[in-house]
Amino acid sequence: MKIYQYHTWPSTVEEAIVIQEQMRNQVITSDQLPEPIEYVAGVDMGFEADGTISRAAVAVLSFPDLQVIETRLAHRPTIFPYIPGFLSFREIPAVLDALEKIKTTPDIILCDGQGIAHPRRFGIACHLGLLVDIPTIGVAKSLFIGKHEELPETRGNWRSLIDKGEIIGAVLRSRTGVKPLYVSSGHRISLPTAIDYVLRCTPKYRLPETTRIADKLASAR
């Protein structure tokens, strides 16, 4: 798989903020999807050796039947500390290594993290989407920023996630009676379309199959 854009990886928060501010204006939050959607992918991260080694996993599934087509792993030294709001600088280098190994290019990538639901509207899904020029969705397991109205308990319900008067994502009930997911546009996809694909990739469990499988690979020993 081809990586379309590169930049120097920062060593400080100040350098990382500059990159976020420069790149966020390139993010597209309207639908620019290929047709038909045949493959969806999930990416996730684990760490080894007390966090000094990053372990990235990618799982490519057929769509809409969600059968595993291909999985890949990549390892590399961790180059950036864990700092909320800067997850992409810690995780994406190894994720790109894993993506470069796959033979089946996905039409959509679901990321375990935020898209524009981020203080600078540039979470890991936005960052990765720009680097690989593929539609991406942020599917986070916890709230980072924003507020929302009370969410009904049944699957499929969602409420807008709002920060400073702006809709930045949605809190989505992917399974009845379980904790919600926090969905936001990454790149080249609108929020309503992102919600639709997250639900279609989540037939049984709380997490999309893409994320669930990638998470197992990333955390396995």
Side-chain angles (χ1 to χ4, degrees), residues 60-116:
V60 182
L61 281 61
S62 57
F63 185 86
D65 56 339
L66 303 177
Q67 299 301 303
V68 176
I69 301 298
E70 187 177 0
T71 62
R72 291 290 185 271
L73 286 170
H75 298 78
R76 71 151 57 199
T78 305
I79 62 172
F80 202 85
Y82 173 76
I83 304 172
F86 301 93
L87 184 68
S88 63
F89 298 99
R90 180 174 173 85
E91 299 191 356
I92 284 182
V95 168
L96 292 177
D97 290 346
L99 287 171
E100 286 186 307
K101 293 182 178 183
I102 64 174
K103 298 178 180 179
T104 308
T105 300
D107 300 305
I108 301 175
I109 299 175
L110 285 73
C111 299
D112 180 24
Q114 311 292 342
I116 66 166

Side-chain angles (χ1 to χ4, degrees), residues 21-172:
E21 295 287 358
Q22 289 175 341
M23 295 186 70
R24 69 176 185 173
N25 292 327
Q26 301 174 47
V27 172
I28 297 168
T29 55
S30 58
D31 291 329
Q32 294 189 6
L33 306 175
E35 293 184 5
I37 301 298
E38 297 181 303
Y39 302 104
V40 292
V43 295
D44 206 350
M45 287 291 301
F47 294 91
E48 302 175 3
D50 295 323
T52 61
I53 301 296
S54 299
R55 175 190 176 108
V58 56
V60 182
L61 281 61
S62 57
F63 185 86
D65 56 339
L66 303 177
Q67 299 301 303
V68 176
I69 301 298
E70 187 177 0
T71 62
R72 291 290 185 271
L73 286 170
H75 298 78
R76 71 151 57 199
T78 305
I79 62 172
F80 202 85
Y82 173 76
I83 304 172
F86 301 93
L87 184 68
S88 63
F89 298 99
R90 180 174 173 85
E91 299 191 356
I92 284 182
V95 168
L96 292 177
D97 290 346
L99 287 171
E100 286 186 307
K101 293 182 178 183
I102 64 174
K103 298 178 180 179
T104 308
T105 300
D107 300 305
I108 301 175
I109 299 175
L110 285 73
C111 299
D112 180 24
Q114 311 292 342
I116 66 166
H118 180 277
R120 283 168 294 284
R121 309 297 186 254
F122 197 73
I124 188 170
C126 304
H127 201 161
L128 182 63
L130 282 172
L131 293 177
V132 299
D133 194 29
I134 288 176
T136 49
I137 304 171
V139 189
K141 296 187 286 288
S142 59
L143 177 67
F144 185 32
I145 63 168
K147 297 181 179 180
H148 60 86
E149 296 178 355
E150 185 175 351
L151 181 66
E153 288 290 320
T154 52
R155 169 182 159 82
N157 279 286
W158 64 275
R159 294 290 184 267
S160 296
L161 187 62
I162 299 173
D163 179 57
K164 299 178 181 177
E166 177 185 1
I167 296 176
I168 58 171
V171 52
L172 171 67

